[in-house]
Amino acid sequence: DAGVTQSPTHLIKTRGQHVTLRCSPISGHKSVSWYQQVLGQGPQFIFQYYEKEERGRGNFPDRFSARQFPNYSSELNVNALLLGDSALYLCASSLYGGGNTGELFFGEGSRLTVL
Amino acid sequence: AQSVTQPDIHITVSEGASLELRCNYSYGATPYLFWYVQSPGQGLQLLLKYFSGDTLVQGIKGFEAEFKRSQSSFNLRKPSVHWSDAAEYFCAVGNNQGGKLIFGQGTELSVKP
């Protein structure tokens, strides 16, 4: 079975541009979460979506937005890119709700460089 | 405040030696605890998890971790390290909703031949 897939794997943008990152969860998983990992740090939670609804949001500015589609795939959008947005963006899928062990399954990530 | 602390930023051990990576957490509810490993340029792979039951949990690749509620700790151990274990290790805490995990800063493990 395929794991979590993310695209693109690498991309370079300039300040002020917009970027869209895509994620497909593991088959059967209905929850998708996004994380930002700046070099040398642990991942930071950005969003969680379940059944197309936002279920959690981290401490990120409104330039960051996301959505989940009926097939449970997800997009992360970042507007007005800043140099500090350069990072590895990780998508994770999981089960959701009671009985869940809380485990997240991560994709390989999309590495964004902002020049 | 909810947080995870990994006191050691970088550890170097000799191949075949034992390993212990430290993790302390602060979490208001019943913690679900995880250790993930990340190789350079890769995503995160789950090593092991704890959410209830036996406080000593076994994971993949010969790793184990012990949950100590009184010390708010969840240290990762391996009796004999292999060169292929060189990577970044992250401790994380969350709940059973499977969405928001709080990660520590990570511990980079180097293995000497």
Side-chain angles (χ1 to χ4, degrees):
Chain A
D1 286 342
V4 177
T5 57
Q6 293 187 243
S7 63
T9 55
H10 296 82
L11 67 166
I12 299 173
K13 295 285 188 178
T14 57
R15 282 177 295 176
Q17 284 190 312
H18 162 271
V19 67
T20 297
L21 307 177
R22 296 176 176 83
C23 172
S24 293
I26 291 172
S27 177
H29 285 189
K30 299 181 179 180
S31 176
V32 170
S33 299
W34 287 95
Y35 286 77
Q36 181 196 62
Q37 186 179 19
V38 174
L39 193 63
Q41 297 183 18
Q44 297 286 318
F45 173 74
I46 310 175
F47 287 111
Q48 181 191 14
Y49 275 78
Y50 174 71
E51 291 286 13
K52 297 176 289 181
E53 292 189 1
E54 182 181 304
R55 295 293 178 149
R57 184 185 183 110
N59 188 24
F60 280 82
D62 291 343
R63 299 184 297 107
F64 289 76
S65 64
R67 56 179 176 168
Q68 187 177 34
F69 300 99
N71 66 354
Y72 304 111
S73 67
S74 177
E75 282 183 356
L76 176 69
N77 294 282
V78 187
N79 293 322
L81 286 167
L82 303 174
L83 295 179
D85 295 331
S86 296
L88 181 68
Y89 288 84
L90 295 164
C91 174
S93 76
S94 65
L95 300 170
Y96 183 88
N100 182 19
T101 61
E103 178 179 352
L104 295 186
F105 297 82
F106 284 86
E108 299 275 313
S110 294
R111 183 163 298 284
L112 170 65
T113 301
V114 182
L115 301 177
Chain B
Q2 300 174 344
S3 65
V4 174
T5 301
Q6 294 180 244
D8 305 304
I9 295 175
H10 188 202
I11 285 182
T12 300
V13 300
S14 298
E15 190 167 16
S18 64
L19 171 70
E20 182 169 27
L21 302 182
R22 295 182 291 164
C23 172
N24 292 96
Y25 68 90
S26 174
Y27 198 71
T30 301
Y32 284 48
L33 293 157
F34 308 86
W35 275 99
Y36 284 86
V37 61
Q38 185 178 39
S39 297
Q42 302 294 310
L44 298 168
Q45 180 184 23
L46 181 70
L47 287 175
L48 47 77
K49 62 192 176 191
Y50 171 81
F51 54 97
S52 68
D54 192 348
T55 57
L56 184 64
V57 293
Q58 303 296 321
I60 62 171
K61 305 184 180 185
F63 285 93
E64 66 177 26
E66 185 172 13
F67 171 58
K68 293 185 177 180
R69 185 184 300 275
S70 62
Q71 299 178 20
S72 296
S73 69
F74 188 57
N75 294 348
L76 182 71
R77 300 194 294 251
K78 186 170 185 179
S80 178
V81 170
H82 188 263
W83 64 266
S84 60
D85 294 324
E88 187 93 21
Y89 290 80
F90 292 96
C91 179
V93 65
N95 56 36
N96 69 343
Q97 299 307 302
K100 179 180 180 180
L101 291 184
I102 299 168
F103 284 85
Q105 186 176 355
T107 298
E108 182 181 0
L109 173 66
S110 297
V111 181
K112 292 189 300 184

